[in-house]
């Protein structure tokens, strides 16, 4: 049987900013309890008093990763270089029997010049190719048999080198996404490897995005 505490947890999990504010003790429990009275009453299909909700809020234990743990601080301080690459184009194409062969032609061209930006991700139904915009005509020519779902120019990539043990740190990416959201940065794509994290943004957001990620690091 669902309880008031269960309802409080369900609501907070879907609102990480609110959950973090509780973890930092910077929220008015009484005011929040009043705000949650109606939705929790609907969830339980019975009238719930604000006092019961406030008690559940005070007893709520947020995930440890939301706090500024010593381990998390150390990871943030050890973030590597931040690299910005501009003049990029994102091609999203539908997967097809010919895509891999045509993609191989793109790779041959990219191997001729190591300064070109390139990433490729294959999903279940579609694939994503991000390259330096100087290759646009080349890609269009060799993908002329493919179905383009979307093509976006005027993009920039911001890459961050992550510490070696980053895959064992819960909540690491949350700190990046939280800061970017607070700064009003719209992410076009997110790419990651084991020790590297890259976001793709439209050129109008690149300065804000770089500043936001730098703030996470410092």
């Amino acid at each position: 049987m669902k309880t008031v505490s269960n309802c409080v947890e369900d609501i907070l999990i879907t609102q990480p900013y609110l959950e973090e504010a509780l973890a930092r003790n910077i929220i008015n429990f009484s005011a929040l309890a009043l705000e949650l009275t109606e939705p929790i009453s609907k969830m339980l299909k019975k009238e719930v008093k604000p006092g019961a909700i406030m008690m559940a809020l005070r007893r709520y234990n947020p995930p440890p990763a939301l706090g500024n743990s010593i381990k998390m601080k150390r990871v943030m301080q050890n973030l590597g270089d931040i690299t910005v690459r501009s003049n990029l184009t994102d091609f999203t194409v539908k997967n097809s029997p010919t895509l891999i062969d045509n993609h191989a032609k793109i790779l041959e061209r990219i191997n001729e010049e190591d300064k070109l930006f390139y990433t490729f991700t294959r999903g279940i139904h579609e694939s994503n190719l991000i390259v330096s915009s100087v290759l646009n005509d080349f890609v269009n020519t060799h993908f002329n048999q493919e179905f383009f779902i979307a093509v976006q120019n005027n993009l920039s990539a911001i890459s961050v080198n992550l510490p070696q043990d980053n895959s064992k740190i819960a909540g690491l990416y949350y700190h990046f996404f939280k800061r970017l959201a607070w700064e009003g940065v719209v992410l076009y794509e997110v790419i990651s490897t084991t020790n590297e994290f890259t976001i793709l943004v439209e050129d109008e957001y690149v300065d804000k995005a770089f500043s936001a990620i730098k703030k996470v690091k410092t």
Side-chain angles (χ1 to χ4, degrees):
M1 182 178 179
K2 206 162 192 176
T3 65
V4 173
S5 296
N6 296 145
C7 294
V8 166
E9 183 175 354
D10 288 345
I11 291 173
L12 294 180
I13 286 174
T14 62
Q15 301 185 48
Y17 294 162
L18 182 58
E19 189 176 33
E20 183 181 10
L22 279 175
R24 295 171 60 188
N25 294 316
I26 56 174
I27 201 164
N28 186 311
F29 284 88
S30 179
L32 179 58
L34 287 172
E35 183 75 18
L36 297 180
T37 299
E38 184 176 347
I40 290 179
S41 294
K42 288 182 178 178
M43 292 169 72
L44 294 177
K45 298 181 180 180
K46 66 178 182 179
E47 185 178 350
V48 178
K49 294 183 178 179
I53 298 174
M54 186 163 63
M55 185 177 297
L57 288 169
R58 293 189 181 279
R59 291 177 176 175
Y60 178 72
N61 292 317
L66 289 177
N68 289 321
S69 67
I70 295 175
K71 189 174 184 180
M72 181 64 76
K73 285 183 179 180
R74 185 171 64 249
V75 170
M76 290 303 173
Q77 290 170 354
N78 290 331
L79 291 176
D81 294 337
I82 303 173
T83 306
V84 179
R85 294 291 301 270
S86 56
N87 298 319
L88 306 179
T89 302
D90 186 308
F91 297 90
T92 304
V93 297
K94 185 178 180 180
N95 288 343
S96 72
T98 59
L99 180 60
I100 296 300
D101 289 338
N102 290 326
H103 178 223
K105 298 172 185 176
I106 306 296
L107 284 176
E108 289 177 5
R109 171 66 180 86
I110 290 171
N111 283 336
E112 296 174 2
E113 190 175 343
D114 58 6
K115 292 184 179 180
L116 294 173
F117 185 93
Y118 158 84
T119 69
F120 182 82
T121 305
R122 183 178 176 87
I124 296 174
H125 303 294
E126 61 185 32
S127 293
N128 186 257
L129 173 69
I130 303 170
V131 294
S132 298
S133 296
V134 294
L135 292 177
N136 283 3
D137 291 340
F138 189 85
V139 172
N140 284 320
T141 297
H142 289 83
F143 274 15
N144 61 351
Q145 301 176 29
E146 308 302 334
F147 178 79
F148 287 92
I149 296 173
V151 177
Q152 178 66 46
N153 295 299
N154 303 316
L155 297 173
S156 293
I158 302 175
S159 301
V160 182
N161 287 333
L162 302 174
Q164 292 292 324
D165 62 346
N166 73 87
S167 60
K168 297 179 174 62
I169 307 298
L172 176 61
Y173 288 101
Y174 167 76
H175 287 270
F176 289 108
F177 292 133
K178 176 186 68 174
R179 174 60 67 174
L180 290 164
W182 280 356
E183 298 289 344
V185 175
V186 178
L187 301 181
Y188 192 81
E189 295 281 2
V190 178
I191 312 155
S192 70
T193 57
T194 301
N195 299 308
E196 191 173 302
F197 170 67
T198 300
I199 62 167
L200 200 69
V201 297
E202 294 182 55
D203 287 343
E204 63 181 289
Y205 293 109
V206 67
D207 290 336
K208 273 188 176 183
F210 180 83
S211 177
I213 291 178
K214 194 172 182 180
K215 288 176 183 176
V216 172
K217 182 178 179 179
T218 56

